[in-house]
Amino acid sequence: MYLIPCDPEAWCKPRQGEVRLGQTLHALPNCDTPANYRSALHKAREKGAKVALIGVPESIGPRGNLGRGGAETAWPAALQGLCNLQANAFIASHELLLVGHVDCEDLQQQAAALRTTDASEVQGLRDLCEQLDQRVMQALLPLFSEGYEVILIGGGHNNAYPLLRSLSEATEQQVAAMNLDPHADFRAREGRHSGNGFSYAHTDGFLANYHVVGLHEGKNNAESLRQLADAGFTYTSVHELYQANWTEQLAAFKAQAQAWQRPLGIEIDVDALQGVPASALNFNGLGIQHGYTLIAELAKLPQTRYLHLAEAAPSLHPAGRDAGDMACAQVLSELVLAYLHGFQRRTP
């Protein structure tokens, strides 16, 4: 098993008279075989766990897309933020299971030696991304099969593919995704990377319905937009959202996802949000409130099965890593809370 367990208490900064979320979270024990992993998931499920938290600390996918590294540092920042939230009645910590993170270290080391300026080495990065897909699916398929909802913190947006494929295989049907992202990530199938997770998922028969929220038409090449349209998929541009009533738009997105009547994934590329340190830092994006409310509303739907937070990169903050860790700890934990708040308000 390519899975590293996590001790949530190790991330806590305790204070007398208070209880932090990390002091109450149930963490999965070390599982050295797939059979032990499935058994541990089943036992935790029987004890009331419903939502699994898992990290994929890598930047292989973004670099394979000719982008920058840094997304491998988001998972520890997220743990720092989440585990130090106050444990109280507003967070049902008994329903959460901290699975740990997919072990990517050896692949990251191999990727570090490869340059994005050399075509053959770029292909090497894409080959490593394909290997990573297999590791991520090994962790995800048992989770979906056991009935868990998943919150995955990347890592690059390449991890949308193993999420969509695992959910499709576990439910034995095609699935749907709503993606808050300036990019459609529908690039050519030229080897796996962060820019083509959805095009691969569609072509391979796993993704049936897809809508991009906040797409920036100037940041997507003509071929990607053509392929998106040819697949019958849709988008709402960020420029439309600048002028629209967000409450009305939010209701429309929720209705669209509900009408699909398929298992649903919520995809959030944090570079859609203004000023968040990410693989592609965005100074003219949407606000945190847009990300929060989109997640919370979609999480209320009974067919929703996962939340994917992709591309956060604390080390790319203009003020340095410490500032990036602080920003990503706050943003990622807030977006996780959005899913939990929606999930806890769900009606069958």
Side-chain angles (χ1 to χ4, degrees):
M1 287 294 300
Y2 293 99
L3 194 63
I4 306 296
C6 176
D7 176 10
E9 287 199 59
W11 294 91
C12 288
K13 297 176 181 176
R15 179 169 177 170
Q16 190 173 0
E18 297 181 354
V19 181
R20 307 288 181 172
L21 185 62
Q23 295 172 297
T24 65
L25 272 182
H26 176 60
L28 202 69
N30 184 44
C31 300
D32 54 356
T33 68
N36 288 344
Y37 179 51
R38 289 191 295 270
S39 175
L41 291 178
H42 183 72
K43 290 176 182 176
R45 184 86 172 140
E46 288 184 325
K47 293 179 180 178
K50 297 178 181 178
V51 180
L53 297 166
I54 187 168
V56 187
E58 58 83 29
S59 59
I60 299 164
R63 294 191 62 237
N65 194 24
L66 307 184
R68 298 187 294 172
E72 72 277 6
T73 58
W75 174 241
L79 286 173
Q80 181 180 330
L82 280 169
C83 292
N84 284 291
L85 292 173
Q86 298 289 342
N88 55 41
F90 294 98
I91 305 174
S93 59
H94 65 283
E95 294 183 335
L96 300 178
L97 175 66
L98 182 56
V99 173
H101 71 266
V102 176
D103 187 3
C104 318
E105 184 59 33
D106 59 323
L107 300 181
Q108 276 286 118
Q109 290 178 1
Q110 293 176 60
L114 300 174
R115 298 166 297 172
T116 58
T117 54
D118 182 285
S120 64
E121 295 187 17
V122 168
Q123 188 56 52
L125 286 166
R126 294 171 179 177
D127 292 343
L128 289 172
C129 187
E130 190 170 346
Q131 292 181 47
L132 176 64
D133 285 343
Q134 297 301 316
R135 296 188 186 187
V136 177
M137 286 188 289
Q138 184 190 48
L140 291 176
L141 188 55
L143 285 168
F144 287 131
S145 297
E146 190 62 41
Y148 283 93
E149 299 195 17
V150 173
I151 298 175
L152 187 149
I153 298 174
H157 220 156
N158 42 290
N159 295 304
Y161 176 80
L163 276 161
L164 293 165
R165 178 171 175 175
S166 297
L167 180 57
S168 177
E169 291 183 352
T171 57
E172 298 183 336
Q173 60 181 301
Q174 291 183 305
V175 300
M178 187 77 69
N179 180 23
L180 180 66
D181 197 336
H183 311 95
D185 289 342
F186 222 78
R187 287 181 177 272
R189 298 172 78 247
E190 56 194 357
R192 287 283 297 114
H193 58 65
S194 65
N196 59 21
F198 298 97
S199 50
Y200 267 90
H202 170 63
T203 304
D204 290 350
F206 304 116
L207 180 65
N209 302 99
Y210 179 47
H211 185 81
V212 188
V213 177
L215 180 139
H216 193 298
E217 288 152 327
K219 296 181 178 180
N220 291 263
N221 65 49
E223 182 63 15
S224 291
L225 294 176
R226 185 191 66 77
Q227 288 191 40
L228 188 73
D230 288 349
F233 297 153
T234 53
Y235 69 86
T236 304
S237 78
V238 69
H239 301 104
E240 292 177 77
L241 294 179
Y242 287 161
Q243 302 177 66
N245 179 299
W246 177 248
T247 302
E248 294 175 0
Q249 286 288 328
L250 197 58
F253 298 144
K254 186 178 180 182
Q256 183 178 13
Q258 197 162 18
W260 288 335
Q261 296 185 330
R262 295 184 183 277
L264 176 69
I266 306 172
E267 293 279 346
I268 306 292
D269 187 326
V270 300
D271 70 20
L273 306 176
Q274 186 172 344
V276 177
S279 304
L281 187 62
N282 190 352
F283 289 106
N284 60 345
L286 300 172
I288 300 298
Q289 71 273 20
H290 296 103
Y292 179 95
T293 50
L294 180 66
I295 294 168
E297 285 302 305
L298 293 178
K300 292 177 183 177
L301 298 175
Q303 63 263 43
T304 299
R305 293 297 305 275
Y306 77 75
L307 169 66
H308 180 201
L309 302 177
E311 302 281 345
S315 59
L316 297 181
H317 194 289
R321 175 66 184 272
D322 288 346
D325 282 341
M326 184 179 299
C328 287
Q330 292 184 30
V331 171
L332 294 173
S333 59
E334 191 71 7
L335 298 180
V336 169
L337 283 180
Y339 190 89
L340 298 178
H341 288 161
F343 173 77
Q344 289 162 12
R345 289 161 177 77
R346 183 180 298 176
T347 55

